[in-house]
């Protein structure tokens, strides 16, 4: 399992009875989690000091209950340090920390989310190093495509590494949120294209245009609709999208990353697709695993999904 264990401003404090107790900066939230099938004692004092609690409804969905929680707040994440000389010359970071620190606006909204999936930090660290370690021609930053890009965690990590990023999501609200996260992270002037579009149709147009990318990230939902009502079902559409999107990879592409939160879509399935579509033709390496977050200070880890990676360089997990 790949574990996102480098957070300072986020942590899972405890889990029990279908819920997890989390610290988001200075605020404590209780949210449901389908992986938490155990009924252990609620020993952590945070269960009684929570600032927000999302209650699942038996009829589907649910609602928040708040206890002195602001409408909006922020937390930060520090990316791994790497030598400044390996950064792209096209984008100059505004501070001496090489844009390591990312800042994320948070707010509780429908279906229990806050606008951030902290477990993805383990993937941010991985491709951040790949991009920074890559040898690019002078003045040519790595081109990264982020599909189903949500509020832009992966986009910011890639941009902070010096990449030129194309950020695509079907939700205008999520794209706007990603722009605000970029500005909060000191990346307002980074070479990021924010696009509201159906991901499959965008990929088809990019192929016709002859555009290519050095890295591709996709985080597709189990089910969704595009801006014009296009239906997406991951079991029916993922393989064809991976095969289609692989056509956008440049000759010296760095990586292709797939994330999945769909129950039953095991890491081995992601590895099989990447092996069949990419490794057999382009070489490179494929790896896949569950991703997770540590619980408290002990050895327990909460599974949070799966990721599959194809890459040319040695893995930097």
């Amino acid at each position: 399992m790949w574990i996102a264990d480098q957070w300072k401003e986020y942590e899972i404090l405890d889990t029990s009875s279908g819920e997890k107790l989390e610290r988001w900066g200075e605020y404590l939230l209780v949210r449901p989690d389908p992986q938490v099938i155990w009924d252990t004692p609620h020993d952590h004092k945070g269960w009684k000091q929570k600032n927000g609690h999302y209650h699942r409804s038996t009829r589907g969905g649910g609602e928040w209950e708040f206890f002195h929680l602001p409408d909006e707040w922020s937390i930060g994440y520090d990316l791994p340090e790497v030598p400044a000389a390996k950064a792209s010359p096209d984008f100059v970071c505004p501070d001496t920390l090489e844009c390591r620190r990312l800042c994320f606006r948070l707010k509780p909204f429908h279906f229990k989310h806050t606008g951030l999936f902290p477990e993805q930090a383990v993937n941010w660290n991985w491709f951040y190093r790949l991009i920074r370690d890559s040898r690019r021609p002078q003045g040519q930053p790595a081109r990264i495509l982020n599909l189903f890009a949500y509020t832009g965690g992966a986009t910011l990590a890639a941009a902070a590494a010096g990449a030129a990023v194309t950020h695509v999501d079907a939700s205008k609200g999520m794209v706007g949120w990603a722009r605000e996260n970029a500005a909060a992270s000191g990346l307002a002037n980074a070479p990021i294209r924010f696009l509201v579009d159906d991901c499959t149709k965008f990929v088809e147009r990019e192929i016709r245009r002859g555009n290519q990318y050095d890295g591709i990230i996709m985080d597709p939902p189990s089910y969704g609709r595009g801006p014009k009502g296009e239906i997406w079902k991951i079991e029916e559409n993922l393989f064809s999208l991976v095969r289609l999107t692989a056509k956008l990879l440049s000759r010296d592409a760095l990586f292709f990353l797939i994330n999945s939160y769909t129950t039953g879509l095991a890491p081995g399935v992601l590895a099989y697709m990447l092996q069949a579509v990419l490794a057999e033709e382009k070489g490179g390496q494929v790896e896949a695993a569950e991703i997770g977050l540590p619980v408290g200070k002990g050895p327990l880890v909460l599974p949070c999904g799966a990721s599959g990676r194809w890459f040319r360089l040695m893995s930097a997990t």
Side-chain angles (χ1 to χ4, degrees):
M1 181 183 288
W2 299 326
I3 303 172
D5 57 3
Q6 300 301 305
W7 281 96
K8 297 180 178 66
E9 298 182 28
Y10 169 86
E11 62 180 322
I12 298 178
L13 300 172
D14 197 7
T15 61
S16 181
S17 306
E19 296 181 316
K20 55 188 174 184
L21 171 66
E22 305 164 290
R23 179 179 67 84
W24 298 81
E26 60 184 290
Y27 302 105
L28 303 184
L29 301 182
V30 175
R31 298 190 297 158
D33 193 299
Q35 299 285 356
V36 183
I37 62 173
W38 43 88
D39 183 11
T40 51
H42 289 64
D43 291 333
H44 197 285
K45 63 182 181 181
W47 291 106
K48 296 181 180 179
Q49 299 175 351
K50 56 186 177 289
N51 299 100
H53 190 171
Y54 187 88
H55 299 279
R56 179 75 76 192
S57 171
T58 57
R59 299 185 299 273
E63 62 180 3
W64 283 96
E65 179 183 15
F66 299 121
F67 310 91
H68 308 294
L69 183 72
D71 293 336
E72 187 177 302
W73 72 104
S74 299
I75 64 172
Y77 182 74
D78 293 333
L79 290 160
E81 293 186 57
V82 293
K86 295 181 180 179
S88 165
D90 277 10
F91 174 62
V92 179
C93 295
D95 55 51
T96 59
L97 293 178
E98 301 307 318
C99 290
R100 288 191 309 109
R101 185 167 179 80
L102 305 181
C103 185
F104 301 99
R105 292 175 50 250
L106 305 174
K107 59 183 177 181
F109 69 108
H110 66 283
F111 202 65
K112 77 179 182 180
H113 296 312
T114 64
L116 182 67
F117 290 88
E119 61 274 10
Q120 286 299 328
V122 71
N123 284 321
W124 304 341
N125 288 353
W126 175 75
F127 63 71
Y128 179 80
R129 290 189 180 100
L130 286 183
I131 295 169
R132 295 299 294 266
D133 286 345
S134 66
R135 299 294 191 269
R136 312 299 308 171
Q138 186 71 15
Q140 295 183 21
R143 299 186 64 199
I144 306 298
L145 173 61
N146 187 11
L147 299 172
F148 308 97
Y150 195 51
T151 59
T155 292
L156 301 188
V165 187
T166 299
H167 172 113
V168 185
D169 197 279
S171 169
K172 182 178 180 180
M174 294 300 104
V175 172
W177 195 335
R179 285 181 181 274
E180 293 175 6
N181 283 337
S185 300
L187 295 166
N189 296 322
I192 305 173
R193 286 198 302 161
F194 292 100
L195 303 175
V196 179
D197 206 340
D198 175 79
C199 289
T200 301
K201 291 185 177 179
F202 174 79
V203 169
E204 291 171 343
R205 291 197 299 274
E206 288 291 88
I207 292 172
R208 292 196 295 269
R209 293 168 181 146
N211 289 331
Q212 291 189 319
Y213 295 88
D214 303 304
I216 293 173
I217 304 161
M218 62 170 63
D219 197 349
S222 299
Y223 178 86
R225 288 183 179 273
K228 296 183 179 180
E230 303 91 340
I231 296 176
W232 164 272
K233 293 182 179 180
I234 195 167
E235 298 89 347
E236 298 177 6
N237 301 120
L238 181 58
F239 180 71
S240 60
L241 179 60
V242 171
R243 186 165 52 188
L244 184 71
T245 308
K247 297 178 181 179
L248 292 176
L249 287 172
S250 65
R251 184 181 63 181
D252 298 319
L254 300 172
F255 69 92
F256 195 120
L257 170 66
I258 307 173
N259 296 306
S260 172
Y261 291 92
T262 303
T263 303
L265 199 62
V269 174
L270 303 180
Y272 195 104
M273 286 192 294
L274 291 172
Q275 184 71 34
V277 174
L278 291 172
E280 292 184 4
E281 177 183 346
K282 296 179 178 293
Q285 302 178 55
V286 170
E287 61 185 15
E290 286 186 295
I291 55 175
L293 289 160
V295 179
K297 305 302 181 183
L300 299 177
V301 176
L302 182 66
C304 300
S307 294
R309 303 165 174 171
W310 171 85
F311 54 97
R312 290 193 183 279
L313 303 179
M314 293 298 293
S315 177
T317 300

